[in-house]
Amino acid sequence: MVLQRWKAFSPYSTKTTAHLLRHIRSISISISASAQPLHQLPQNELFRCNARIQELGRLGRVDEARQLFDEMLHRDSITWNSIINGYSQNGRIDEARALFEAFAGKNVRTWTCIVSGYAKNGRVREAREVFDEMPERNVVSWNAMISGYVQNGDLMSAKYLFDEMPERNVASWNNMITGYCHCGMMDEAREVFDRMEEKNLVSWMVMISGHVQVDNFQQAWDIFLQMHHGGVLPDQSLFVVALSAITGLNDPNLIEALRTMAVKTNYENDVVVGTAVLNAYTRTGKLESAVQFFETMPEKNEFSWTTMIAAFSQIGRLDEAIAFYERVPEQNVACQTAMITAYAQNGRIHEGRKIFEDIGNPNAVTWNAMVAGYAQNGMFEEAMELFMKMPSRNSASWAAMISALSKKGLFREALELLSELHRSGMVPSHSCFTSALYACSYIGALETGKQLHALTVKTGCQYNAYIGNGLITMYAKCKNLDEVSRVFNTMRRKDTVSWNSVISGLSHNYMLDDARGIFEKMPKRDVVSWTAMISAYVQAGHGVVAFELFLKMLASGTKPNSSTVTGLLITCGSVGATRLGKQIHGLIFKLGLDLDIFVGNSLITMYFKCGCKEGFLVFDEMLDCDIITWNAVLIGCAQNGFGSEALEVFEQMKAEGVLPNQISFVGILCACSHAGLVDKGWAYFNSMSKDYGIMPLEDHYACMVDLLGRAGQLNEAEAFIESMPIEPDSVVWAALLGACRIHRNVEIGKRVAERLFQLEPQNSGNYILLSNIYASLGMWKEVGELRKLMRNQGVAKEPGISWIQMRNELHSFVNGDRTHDQADEIYRVLEEFYQRLRAVGYVPDTYFVLHDVEEEQKENLLLHHSEKLAIAYGILNTPHGTPIQIMKNLRICGDCHTFTKFMSKVAQRNIVIRDGTRFHHFQDGLCSCGDYW
């Protein structure tokens, strides 16, 4: 053109040339801002230039469009509107506004372009200012402003403007239902939709896709059928969204019905519809049908091939995914990216990297797949290195990396990366926000979470269901329950996850009644809802209510999952409900959950907590074990006094190459303590740091003190504490005080108790232990002084309680209890067995009576200890020979231990007592602890 030729022969420098060009351009704009004679330029040339400017604008090549605009000596209003619109639609609204101000021949189209541009770029206030200044408006102008409000989440202003419109067309109505659907307000969308006198395919499309977005797939399908029955023929897009509804319903039969409809409307061979059918087959589990359909497709595009590659790789059939990849007629980036993802999903990330390296110019999607693949395989350094090398990053790139850091537990790093994203000027995606909120939840970063909340409001994302759920979880974890309720109440779209998040948040903060209230209001409950509520009752110790709710869950037809049953198994173990635990075990088999490693671990723990050796059977039948499995067995052995078995399990674990951790050593040291294996205990304790590089913690030191103390090595135990490299806590000192009680060592006991009174002034157990030492030595004056000290300090003694489960009911007893319905029979049975036991050698050990009373009264007090009452109740209410299981909150006294040994032989019963520290298995006059506890 003229300017190009002038530049080619100009004698001026580049800098001077640029200055002259700017000067000429400004003159050109000012001159052409007025009406121009068009006869000087052929009409078809003007038309061609205008069309080219519009095309370049659509392609995002605005600078090229501007160059052409500047070279045109003659322009009409279409020229100006085209370049202004190009700037507006490509995010360069300020440059569009400059041209707008320079154009003297503005028309309604020009004004509308600026309104639309401001709205699209989130500057709704400026859009409204321009809209209010318009000298005239048409329906397109009104629609542009309403659409701007809708796009930015301001439905109230959109509705107000919609009601003020002098006239509306179908686009006006579609704008409103689009806004409501995007916010999940489907009732409001349906109300507007039903009022429409005229509907087009877009109207139906918006309503159907809106219901798909809120997972109301049945309603989406019903609307599609309503459209079809009304004689409206679906187009390509409607077939695709209808297939999404079918996928959500997980009903392969509906796919066949839709295919029949597609044949009648000549869309059967459409490659886009065909690929959507293919996707629906794979997502509803009909992989073989997908293969058959794929082979008959007359035309396949890159999405058809990637759908098949992804379908097989996601279920671990990588070889078949590779086979499809190798059949692609012409390798393209989309298929290569799908194959990279397939390799990553199946742990073969290095092969995915080879494909990546072979791509000459990978796009952002491919880079993202590679970054996500590394992160998925735990290779976070490689993921970050690749992320930093990306030539350009989109929101998905940042989201992949932020998500990867959050999942690895690098929460602060994830938040720092989000800050970097925000500083770059990009708007975080929904995925970025949810990952960041997840990070805030786990580190309790409430202030950062509030800032993220404010940013979601600014970006119009706060109404997204995933972000709303993330906000609820974050505020709940940070214990800001007012915000939990506020976010939940303002959510426009509440899915089941939203309700579940509130229930979990309230229950984790011990607001059970509020959580139950929300649960009862839920329009639809899933297994997560039931499990969250059941787990809440389990954690609060309300086992009975938890089981009642579980029965209601089964009655509702909801199938329990592994989390549901593990929570119930915890309850069974905590109260010693063996029969109930076995019933849950049977249900686990019926549900097919027996192979789940978490369920197996919970079963092992439950059986050992109930004093049952079935824990070993579950362990032997498990196909897969993790460190939690081994630790469950070790702790179970320690609790039940299975010392030799604990040693065997520990050595087996090492032989199988499983490295013990800190919990493993707590289990084995505790087992050595309960079995009196001092030398073995020392060997394991020393091996922690020497062989495994594990530094002992307070619990390990407490186990060693307990081990030495039980063995009577009290001075060694005290010296061991004094030599600890860490400050001993109350657990360590309490272990030594308990040993002093066993061996009646008042000198060390008094010294240790004084320390404990300073560390735990309100712990009644420490006072009682010292009082028991005094009482066992007849130091009644000291006992009285200690009891007076307890009264002055406001310390109340915890009563000894024993309980027994009978026909799914728990019966509890305290010392000298006469409140039970069968109290008279219980005392009669005790008296009867008391005489029989004395006849075969039992002598009451009045040393364990902690009151200064006469000898005969001491014997009566011993006879009415809570565990003896529970045993008598068990004998009264169970058939001869049936095992009896008792739970007790405190350590069993020596006399009750001796009494129960005699009782197991005379009554010919296996009796299991779980006291505050361990299990005692009594059989034929012997106890599993070997009288060492």
Side-chain angles (χ1 to χ4, degrees):
M1 302 296 288
V2 175
L3 290 177
Q4 290 174 324
R5 290 196 297 272
W6 182 86
K7 282 189 282 185
F9 296 99
S10 173
Y12 298 106
S13 67
T14 305
K15 186 174 182 181
T16 305
T17 303
H19 175 75
L20 287 170
L21 284 172
R22 282 197 298 271
H23 182 62
I24 293 170
R25 180 179 296 174
S26 64
I27 295 173
S28 173
I29 290 176
S30 62
I31 293 173
S32 58
S34 57
Q36 298 295 314
L38 299 180
H39 65 273
Q40 298 176 12
L41 187 69
Q43 190 66 31
N44 61 344
E45 179 67 13
L46 179 63
F47 178 81
R48 185 190 66 78
C49 290
N50 289 346
R52 182 61 176 161
I53 290 173
Q54 292 169 5
E55 180 186 12
L56 291 170
R58 284 193 298 270
L59 295 172
R61 294 156 60 180
V62 191
D63 291 329
E64 295 176 56
R66 179 58 185 266
Q67 184 178 354
L68 177 57
F69 175 85
D70 289 340
E71 292 170 354
M72 294 173 64
L73 294 178
H74 301 281
R75 311 179 188 98
D76 61 6
S77 61
I78 297 174
T79 316
W80 283 89
N81 289 341
S82 297
I83 191 66
I84 291 171
N85 189 60
Y87 275 122
S88 297
Q89 298 307 308
N90 285 279
R92 296 165 66 172
I93 184 61
D94 291 329
E95 293 165 276
R97 183 63 186 261
L99 284 170
F100 172 82
E101 297 295 346
F103 182 32
K106 303 180 192 69
N107 57 24
V108 69
R109 168 70 177 155
T110 320
W111 288 85
T112 303
C113 285
I114 293 297
V115 170
S116 179
Y118 274 128
K120 185 174 181 180
N121 288 277
R123 295 161 66 172
V124 191
R125 182 178 298 174
E126 291 162 283
R128 183 58 190 260
E129 288 173 357
V130 174
F131 179 80
D132 289 339
E133 292 172 4
M134 290 181 70
E136 62 172 318
R137 306 183 189 109
N138 59 17
V139 70
V140 178
S141 315
W142 286 85
N143 288 345
M145 193 61 240
I146 291 172
S147 179
Y149 280 129
V150 165
Q151 290 167 13
N152 290 276
D154 188 354
L155 290 184
M156 185 177 296
S157 297
K159 178 67 165 59
Y160 177 81
L161 210 61
F162 177 80
D163 291 339
E164 294 292 315
M165 287 185 74
E167 62 172 319
R168 304 184 186 111
N169 60 14
V170 69
S172 314
W173 294 87
N174 287 345
N175 271 335
M176 288 308 302
I177 61 173
T178 299
Y180 286 128
C181 288
H182 283 177
C183 292
M185 302 169 67
M186 299 312 300
D187 290 339
E188 290 83 351
R190 187 58 190 257
E191 188 271 330
V192 174
F193 180 77
D194 288 341
R195 284 168 51 200
M196 291 178 68
E197 296 181 2
E198 176 192 356
K199 301 179 181 72
N200 60 11
L201 288 177
V202 174
S203 316
W204 293 99
M205 177 72 183
V206 171
M207 284 303 298
I208 296 169
S209 60
H211 281 96
V212 168
Q213 287 172 5
V214 298
D215 297 338
N216 193 341
F217 304 111
Q218 186 60 58
Q219 188 65 28
W221 179 247
D222 290 343
I223 293 174
F224 180 81
L225 292 180
Q226 178 187 346
M227 178 193 76
H228 177 62
H229 294 151
V232 180
L233 296 178
D235 63 0
Q236 182 189 74
S237 299
L238 277 161
F239 272 116
V240 171
V241 75
L243 284 161
S244 296
I246 291 171
T247 302
L249 291 170
N250 197 29
D251 189 346
N253 294 327
L254 292 180
I255 301 175
E256 305 304 327
L258 203 67
R259 283 184 62 187
T260 302
M261 195 182 302
V263 171
K264 294 179 179 178
T265 52
N266 295 321
Y267 276 102
E268 171 72 354
N269 295 330
D270 183 276
V271 67
V272 175
V273 174
T275 302
V277 169
L278 200 62
N279 185 60
Y281 274 133
T282 60
R283 290 181 178 273
T284 55
K286 292 292 185 179
L287 200 52
E288 300 309 317
S289 298
V291 173
Q292 292 174 8
F293 181 78
F294 178 83
E295 299 299 348
T296 62
M297 288 177 69
E299 181 186 355
K300 303 176 181 72
N301 62 14
E302 59 187 34
F303 300 109
S304 313
W305 291 98
T306 56
T307 297
M308 296 308 298
I309 293 168
F312 280 103
S313 67
Q314 285 166 2
I315 61 172
R317 292 165 65 173
L318 184 59
D319 290 340
E320 288 159 282
I322 295 171
F324 271 98
Y325 176 70
E326 291 174 345
R327 286 177 53 196
V328 177
E330 183 178 346
Q331 291 296 347
N332 53 62
V333 176
C335 292
Q336 289 168 315
T337 303
M339 201 62 230
I340 289 171
T341 301
Y343 277 125
Q345 288 172 338
N346 289 272
R348 291 163 63 173
I349 187 64
H350 296 298
E351 292 171 83
R353 183 60 186 259
K354 290 178 184 177
I355 295 178
F356 179 78
E357 298 291 353
D358 289 338
I359 300 174
N361 185 26
N363 58 26
V365 177
T366 310
W367 280 91
N368 293 344
M370 201 66 228
V371 170
Y374 274 130
Q376 186 179 348
N377 285 272
M379 301 169 70
F380 295 97
E381 291 181 4
E382 291 85 349
M384 181 58 81
E385 180 184 357
L386 205 64
F387 176 78
M388 298 306 294
K389 288 181 180 178
M390 291 182 70
S392 63
R393 305 181 190 118
N394 57 20
S395 60
S397 317
W398 292 89
M401 205 62 237
I402 293 169
S403 175
L405 291 170
S406 291
K407 288 177 181 176
K408 192 188 178 186
L410 299 172
F411 302 120
R412 297 194 185 281
E413 291 83 348
L415 294 174
E416 288 171 4
L417 198 62
L418 181 76
S419 297
E420 186 180 338
L421 163 65
H422 185 49
R423 285 193 298 271
S424 73
M426 291 182 64
V427 177
S429 66
H430 293 170
S431 177
C432 289
F433 277 123
T434 52
S435 295
L437 289 168
Y438 173 80
C440 291
S441 299
Y442 272 81
I443 60 175
L446 177 59
E447 289 307 313
T448 304
K450 286 181 176 180
Q451 291 171 9
L452 285 172
H453 190 177
L455 188 56
T456 64
V457 174
K458 289 181 181 177
T459 56
C461 299
Q462 77 273 29
Y463 297 119
N464 176 269
Y466 295 105
I467 291 175
N469 297 340
L471 286 168
I472 289 170
T473 302
M474 182 275 294
Y475 281 123
K477 288 281 182 73
C478 295
K479 302 187 182 302
N480 191 332
L481 300 182
D482 289 338
E483 284 298 326
V484 169
S485 300
R486 188 173 291 111
V487 172
F488 180 74
N489 291 331
T490 56
M491 287 180 71
R492 292 172 176 173
R493 173 194 165 194
K494 297 182 181 78
D495 57 13
T496 306
V497 177
S498 312
W499 291 87
N500 292 344
S501 298
V502 174
I503 291 170
S504 297
L506 294 172
S507 59
H508 287 162
N509 287 280
Y510 309 104
M511 299 176 66
L512 266 181
D513 291 341
D514 298 88
R516 185 62 182 264
I518 294 290
F519 176 81
E520 296 297 342
K521 292 177 183 176
M522 287 186 72
K524 181 182 179 183
R525 303 179 187 124
D526 61 6
V527 64
V528 178
S529 319
W530 288 97
T531 301
M533 204 64 241
I534 291 169
S535 299
Y537 283 117
V538 168
Q539 290 166 6
H542 300 323
V544 174
V545 183
F547 275 102
E548 288 174 352
L549 202 59
F550 177 65
L551 294 176
K552 289 184 179 179
M553 173 185 178
L554 295 177
S556 74
T558 306
K559 183 180 177 182
N561 61 16
S562 57
S563 298
T564 319
V565 296
T566 51
L568 295 171
L569 290 171
I570 290 171
T571 297
C572 293
S574 64
V575 299
T578 310
R579 281 187 59 192
L580 205 50
K582 288 182 176 180
Q583 291 173 354
I584 298 294
H585 194 173
L587 180 63
I588 285 168
F589 274 108
K590 290 180 181 179
L591 295 171
L593 298 174
D594 51 301
L595 298 180
D596 187 291
I597 191 168
F598 299 107
V599 173
N601 294 343
S602 298
L603 280 168
I604 291 171
T605 301
M606 183 274 295
Y607 276 122
F608 280 131
K609 279 194 171 183
C610 290
C612 300
K613 290 188 175 182
E614 280 93 334
F616 289 116
L617 297 177
V618 175
F619 174 65
D620 291 338
E621 292 173 357
M622 287 182 68
L623 298 179
D624 295 311
C625 297
D626 58 12
I627 187 63
I628 298 173
T629 315
W630 293 96
N631 289 345
V633 178
L634 286 171
I635 297 294
C637 288
Q639 290 172 334
N640 286 274
F642 303 144
S644 59
E645 290 89 342
L647 299 183
E648 290 177 11
V649 169
F650 193 82
E651 294 304 320
Q652 181 186 350
M653 178 175 71
K654 292 196 298 181
E656 294 190 15
V658 180
L659 292 176
N661 62 12
Q662 291 172 333
I663 298 174
S664 312
F665 279 104
V666 169
I668 193 65
L669 290 174
C670 187
C672 290
S673 175
H674 286 172
L677 303 172
V678 178
D679 292 338
K680 282 284 188 184
W682 271 117
Y684 284 123
F685 181 80
N686 291 329
S687 74
M688 286 181 65
S689 56
K690 178 182 176 183
D691 300 328
Y692 299 100
I694 299 174
M695 297 305 296
L697 301 176
E698 287 90 343
D699 288 342
H700 304 105
Y701 286 107
C703 287
M704 286 304 297
V705 171
D706 192 55
L707 172 65
L708 296 170
R710 287 177 187 273
Q713 300 178 23
L714 298 178
N715 290 317
E716 291 86 341
E718 188 176 21
F720 178 79
I721 295 175
E722 298 294 350
S723 66
M724 283 172 55
I726 59 176
E727 187 70 24
D729 62 4
S730 59
V731 178
V732 175
W733 288 112
L736 181 55
L737 184 58
C740 292
R741 163 72 176 86
I742 295 170
H743 298 285
R744 308 185 195 182
N745 190 314
V746 70
E747 180 184 352
I748 296 177
K750 186 175 180 181
R751 202 159 53 235
V752 172
E754 291 296 335
R755 287 181 178 267
L756 283 167
F757 294 162
Q758 293 176 356
L759 291 171
E760 299 178 322
Q762 295 301 310
N763 187 340
S764 64
N766 300 324
Y767 295 89
I768 300 303
L769 280 173
L770 181 59
S771 176
N772 290 350
I773 296 173
Y774 288 149
S776 68
L777 297 172
M779 301 170 66
W780 300 112
K781 178 182 176 183
E782 287 78 359
V783 170
E785 291 175 351
L786 197 57
R787 289 176 178 167
K788 182 179 178 182
L789 176 63
M790 290 177 66
R791 286 195 297 272
N792 292 338
Q793 296 280 80
V795 179
K797 177 185 175 183
E798 181 184 4
I801 304 174
S802 297
W803 60 93
I804 180 173
Q805 184 192 21
M806 198 71 62
R807 289 178 289 276
N808 293 334
E809 289 186 16
L810 286 178
H811 298 261
S812 59
F813 301 88
V814 296
N815 294 347
D817 195 345
R818 288 188 176 274
T819 61
H820 197 277
D821 292 343
Q822 292 182 269
D824 292 340
E825 294 98 316
I826 290 169
Y827 277 79
R828 179 179 53 76
V829 167
L830 272 181
E831 285 291 340
E832 177 188 330
F833 274 99
Y834 180 62
Q835 301 303 325
R836 291 174 62 184
L837 297 186
R838 296 200 66 157
V840 294
Y842 164 67
V843 177
D845 191 345
T846 55
Y847 153 73
F848 291 99
V849 176
L850 307 176
H851 299 277
D852 187 13
V853 295
E854 297 296 327
E855 193 70 17
E856 183 178 350
Q857 190 176 353
K858 287 183 178 182
E859 290 189 17
N860 284 330
L861 288 172
L862 285 175
L863 182 59
H864 302 149
H865 275 193
S866 64
E867 51 265 65
K868 292 184 177 112
L869 297 174
I871 291 170
Y873 177 79
I875 289 174
L876 265 173
N877 292 278
T878 57
H880 179 70
T882 303
I884 297 173
Q885 185 173 29
I886 308 295
M887 310 284 286
K888 181 175 170 62
N889 64 329
L890 304 178
R891 183 179 182 272
I892 187 173
C893 80
D895 179 69
C896 287
H897 193 269
T898 303
F899 177 91
T900 309
K901 285 200 300 182
F902 275 95
M903 181 67 86
S904 68
K905 186 171 185 177
V906 171
Q908 297 182 354
R909 297 282 189 120
N910 289 346
I911 303 173
V912 178
I913 295 181
R914 187 180 92 182
D915 68 9
T917 57
R918 62 175 297 169
F919 278 91
H920 298 267
H921 298 258
F922 299 93
Q923 185 175 3
D924 294 328
L926 300 173
C927 179
S928 60
C929 73
D931 297 338
Y932 187 88
W933 82 100

